Amino acid sequence: MRTVTPVRALAALGGCALLATALTACGGDSAASDAKVVTVYSADGLKGENGDGWYDQVFKDFENKTGIEVKYVEGGSGEMVQRAVREKSNTQADVLVTLPPFIQQADDKGLLQAYSPQGAEQVDGANKASDGKWTTVVNNYFGFIYNKKELKGAKTPRTWDELTDGAYKNKIQYSTPGVAGDGTAVLIKAMHDFGGKEPAMKYLGRLQSNNVGPSASTGKLAPKVDKGELLVANGDVQMNYAQAKDMPNLGIWFPAKKGAKPTTFALPYAAGLVTKAPHSANAKKFLDYLLSRTAQRQVSEIGGGFAARKDVKATDANAIALEKLLHGVEVFEPDWADISENLTSYVEDWKSATGS
């Protein structure tokens, strides 16, 4: 029987060019506060490659139900938070969705105001802020991906050490720690698996000789793995499981230290109401809808993730496959308070170790 310890939530991108598809102008939202719109800044992973993701369905259903149009801006968790910080004097976003520890950092930077969405009482206490500043809307787990066409049978990777082999030269890439949520998760898992910061940085320094280089977005790595341009990359279960519908060569795995069990940790998408949100009332309706039974039932069925509500028990084929995927994998709980407080120094140590 597998015991899963829930956790809290992180991810990001940005730039005026990216926002051009979501906002009228980079300088600000000129719409009146009662306009029928809501602007969502989110970590990537929940929107489908071909318009068939959880967000795609949720946005459409929400607009049909309320008449409120969703303006969407996607990127890595860290960069989304940084963008929201830069816009504090002229707030653009109404809702912020990131992975941990970036949702905690957003709170620490005063970006979030308290609002407990309808249905939040059904979310585990560890998956929401005690003061109502953020609530998990999709549960998820950190993982890696590999090209299962090129790496089948005995070649299927299982341990961290295998990735330093010469066969992976220029065939590995992971997203940038401190910028992307899943990239930061690489540091978290390595520090856990290797027993501390120093041995983890030593390993990542060795791995660097096979690493292609930085990537601001984890989601962009999966197509490269599917095509064989890369053999291994980082990711997360929800995003990669959803991508595998259109990328048949993607395999999900969880690196282990040699002789130990494979490990992972919860990496949920958490949402919060932005301080001074231009469309606060609409944002509250949107957050309510994300936690509605209808939307939560679609998390596994459409999005390939895990429902945040305890009272939504998914039995669809995806839910069964996801449970099987995690069978035998040890789930640990990171010290998010330590990570949030020391993330900057951990990232600096990673830069020194890898020469990044």
Side-chain angles (χ1 to χ4, degrees), residues 11-34:
L13 237 141
C16 189
L18 179 64
L19 275 178
T21 60
L23 301 177
T24 23
C26 209
D29 183 359
S30 61
S33 61
D34 61 348

Side-chain angles (χ1 to χ4, degrees), residues 36-63:
K36 300 286 278 185
V37 297
V38 59
T39 299
V40 179
Y41 281 14
S42 178
D44 53 1
L46 293 175
K47 207 169 189 300
E49 297 286 329
N50 300 303
D52 55 356
W54 185 66
Y55 266 165
D56 299 286
Q57 187 66 50
V58 165
F59 293 174
K60 183 174 75 171
D61 291 348
F62 177 72
E63 290 179 20

Side-chain angles (χ1 to χ4, degrees), residues 8 101 104 108 334-343:
R8 305 181 174 100
Q104 292 92 336
D108 291 341
D335 184 345
W336 290 114
D338 170 76
I339 293 164
S340 183
E341 181 180 350
N342 297 301
L343 180 59

